[in-house]
Amino acid sequence: MAGRFYGIVLCGGSGSRMGLQTNKVLLELHGKSVLLRSLEALSPFVDGLILVIRKEDETAVRESLSGTPFSGIQTVCGGNTRQASVAAGLAALPENAAYVLIHDGARCLVDSLTIQHVKDAVTETGSGIASVPVKDTIKRTEKDGQILETLDRTSLRAMQTPQGFRRELIVKAHEYAREHQIDGTDDASLLEAMGLPVTWTEGSYRNIKITTPEDLLMAEMILHERPERLRVGTGYDVHRLVEGRRLVLCGVEVPHTVGLLGHSDADVAAHALIDAMLGAVALGDIGQLFPDTDEAYRDIDSMILLKRANEVLREHGAHVQNLDLTICALKPKLAPFIQKMRERLSEVLSLPLQDVSVKATTTEHLGFEGRMEGISANCVVMVSQKG
Ligand code: MG
């Protein structure tokens, strides 16, 4: 069996250069923390993850990861330096870890190709360090403002993370550094200090470390340019027809002898639409978002719920592209109201009318719709999501 890869994610940095009280990995980028983005990027490439954190961040980190696939992640407390923190992570590796990828928690934009290059080099040569060619001219200087020399740019590369190693190599290098009191700014330098060969791999200029407020701005721009994913969702709802209630469909009141029963205004069409929207981004369903045990939602206009669901989608970088809704009712005849329903949905969702389709059908007297015991609605929604 191939050797197991473990990831060590470093979250020791304070937010001081960001002018923050909190750890910068807990900052939110498009509705997700920097840390969660880093873990999501790395996790498909490793068999396990160890998070190295500062003791004082433990509660905040746990809280930020609750409800994510990383809520049970193993954490260890780091030391005063990056090197000491990595050493703490290495000490926590399980027996079966053959390779380790050390990654800065603040490099949350790392892409799959960068990680794969590192992994390939590690299995082939024992080490792999993500890096990019230096674009600026680099000079060696004196503190007094004097320039000493210009370095040959063609041989210079800027090191990033992940930095990957065969486990025994990096463990040995850390022991050596401890014995010889070597303080490296990255892990590769500890192998270099031992005279061991280290392999660089192709990283990405987008794999920035979020350290300053400018970096955060840059990260937002990079996320913004990421291609949108198209996601589809379906929704289905039924409400019972009873006397003494209004019949409201897609926010439009339809005159009828009976109306729909429910905790809210029982707009069955709007509910199917909301479920489809939430389904497209896997955010649960309408009952979770607006519990029918909550008095705040009694007899509420479902257009208010629809507007709120749309905001929730936007908070997740998602936008409705188009929707197709079918209402199934034997009576009343809905054709005269269809245009008004489309206009109402288009207005509430801020969507062009051409992207809002509402249709009505019957079941030829079959089933509960045919017996006029209730009305059902089906909806399909296409959503685009960024990042
Ligand atoms: Mg409902």
Side-chain angles (χ1 to χ4, degrees):
M1 193 187 109
R4 286 185 168 252
F5 268 88
Y6 272 76
I8 294 178
V9 177
L10 304 171
C11 303
S14 71
S16 56
R17 267 186 282 182
M18 203 70 103
L20 292 168
Q21 297 301 317
T22 52
N23 192 317
K24 65 197 174 214
V25 299
L26 298 176
L27 285 175
E28 294 245 322
L29 252 181
H30 284 267
K32 248 187 221 180
S33 73
V34 166
L35 174 58
L36 181 56
R37 288 184 180 277
S38 291
L39 295 175
E40 282 179 346
L42 213 56
S43 70
F45 294 90
V46 293
D47 301 295
L49 283 165
I50 295 169
L51 206 53
V52 185
I53 55 174
R54 296 182 306 176
K55 183 89 194 122
E56 60 263 42
D57 290 334
E58 194 164 6
T59 312
V61 166
R62 284 268 165 235
E63 264 169 30
S64 83
L65 294 178
S66 85
T68 75
F70 305 100
S71 56
I73 194 170
Q74 184 187 354
T75 57
V76 295
C77 286
N80 289 329
T81 61
R82 182 185 193 283
Q83 197 169 314
S85 291
V86 174
L90 290 173
L93 283 174
E95 197 105 337
N96 64 2
Y99 303 102
V100 51
L101 299 182
I102 299 163
H103 189 57
D104 297 326
R107 289 191 195 266
C108 66
L109 299 176
V110 62
D111 57 68
S112 304
L113 209 55
T114 296
I115 303 172
Q116 194 57 54
H117 286 325
V118 171
K119 275 189 81 170
D120 291 345
V122 171
T123 42
E124 231 170 87
T125 72
S127 63
I129 315 293
S131 66
V132 284
V134 166
K135 288 189 281 192
D136 297 319
T137 294
I138 308 280
K139 296 183 191 281
R140 216 157 60 75
T141 59
E142 291 270 48
K143 282 210 172 79
D144 63 6
Q146 201 73 31
I147 290 175
L148 293 176
E149 65 168 328
T150 302
L151 302 175
D152 175 16
R153 195 169 61 182
T154 57
S155 69
L156 292 175
R157 296 185 72 84
M159 296 299 129
Q160 307 180 327
T161 71
Q163 302 205 347
F165 306 92
R166 210 160 55 224
R167 179 200 191 156
E168 74 258 22
L169 268 183
I170 188 67
V171 168
K172 213 183 285 173
H174 271 264
E175 279 166 11
Y176 181 87
R178 227 180 353 259
E179 275 166 32
H180 295 80
Q181 289 171 8
I182 297 163
D183 191 15
T185 52
D186 73 347
D187 298 283
S189 60
L190 305 185
L191 270 77
E192 295 159 31
M194 287 179 78
L196 294 172
V198 188
T199 310
W200 61 262
T201 61
E202 211 58 67
S204 162
Y205 287 113
R206 289 174 174 76
N207 183 17
I208 58 169
K209 188 173 177 180
I210 296 174
T211 310
T212 64
E214 294 77 27
D215 299 330
L216 200 62
L217 258 179
M218 190 74 84
E220 298 222 350
M221 283 164 64
I222 291 169
L223 275 179
H224 204 73
E225 62 154 31
R226 284 203 177 165
E228 293 190 336
R229 285 175 68 201
L230 285 178
R231 309 184 67 170
V232 70
T234 75
Y236 174 69
D237 197 23
V238 174
H239 279 262
R240 186 184 290 277
L241 281 166
V242 293
E243 283 180 359
R245 291 272 302 182
R246 297 182 310 144
L247 176 59
V248 181
L249 295 167
C250 298
V252 175
E253 184 158 351
V254 179
H256 195 36
T257 51
V258 285
L260 292 171
L261 183 65
H263 182 68
S264 63
D265 65 0
D267 186 336
V268 65
H271 296 180
L273 168 55
I274 293 171
D275 258 0
M277 287 163 59
L278 296 174
V281 279
L283 284 174
D285 60 33
I286 185 170
Q288 285 165 259
L289 198 57
F290 313 110
D292 63 9
T293 47
D294 192 333
E295 277 306 307
Y297 303 127
R298 179 169 297 281
D299 292 323
I300 197 170
D301 177 353
S302 292
M303 290 301 105
I304 294 172
L305 307 183
L306 180 61
K307 204 171 176 69
R308 177 68 199 127
N310 204 33
E311 283 162 11
V312 169
L313 254 64
R314 293 197 176 185
E315 285 159 16
H316 285 79
H319 293 260
V320 174
Q321 292 299 306
N322 76 301
L323 66 96
D324 187 15
L325 184 73
T326 304
I327 304 166
C328 187
L330 186 73
K331 270 180 185 170
K333 269 253 160 294
L334 296 177
F337 303 95
I338 293 290
Q339 182 63 13
K340 224 171 155 188
M341 291 179 188
R342 291 178 62 210
E343 284 166 5
R344 186 81 181 103
L345 296 182
S346 140
E347 177 195 342
V348 172
L349 294 174
S350 311
L351 212 57
L353 194 61
Q354 72 210 32
D355 295 326
V356 178
S357 159
V358 177
K359 315 194 295 295
T361 187
T362 72
T363 53
E364 305 269 337
H365 295 273
L366 293 169
F368 64 84
E369 298 102 326
R371 293 190 298 270
M372 287 185 284
E373 291 165 6
I375 292 179
S376 67
N378 266 292
C379 189
V380 176
V381 163
M382 180 71 83
V383 163
S384 63
Q385 191 173 29
K386 283 211 164 120

